[in-house]
Amino acid sequence: MKVHVDMNLCQAHGECVFAAPDVFELHDDDSLTWVEEVGEDRRAEVEQAVQVCPMMAIKLEG
């Protein structure tokens, strides 16, 4: 599945990092990086990241 983050909405709260630390990484300068293609074995944690994002900046495809 594909993970999309709208960086125009993201405000670097970092909730996604707590939910899916193997997928999202927040850097010291508040920039966010993420794995764009993840396997089904990560679906639950990525769906949790989508739910906890206060800016609703994360979307899943697939």
Side-chain angles (χ1 to χ4, degrees):
M1 83 189 131
K2 292 186 180 185
V3 179
H4 301 282
V5 179
D6 185 338
M7 292 308 293
N8 291 319
L9 295 175
C10 178
Q11 292 186 357
H13 291 282
E15 297 299 319
C16 57
V17 178
F18 293 113
D22 293 334
V23 178
F24 299 95
E25 185 176 0
L26 188 61
H27 303 278
D28 291 338
D29 63 355
D30 284 343
S31 64
L32 180 72
T33 56
W34 64 95
V35 179
E36 293 184 13
E37 292 272 347
V38 295
E40 283 297 316
D41 59 324
R42 300 272 186 238
R43 180 175 287 278
E45 62 188 90
V46 175
E47 285 178 347
Q48 179 68 23
V50 170
Q51 292 176 7
V52 299
C53 178
M55 302 311 296
M56 299 186 307
I58 306 168
K59 305 286 185 234
L60 293 181
E61 179 184 328

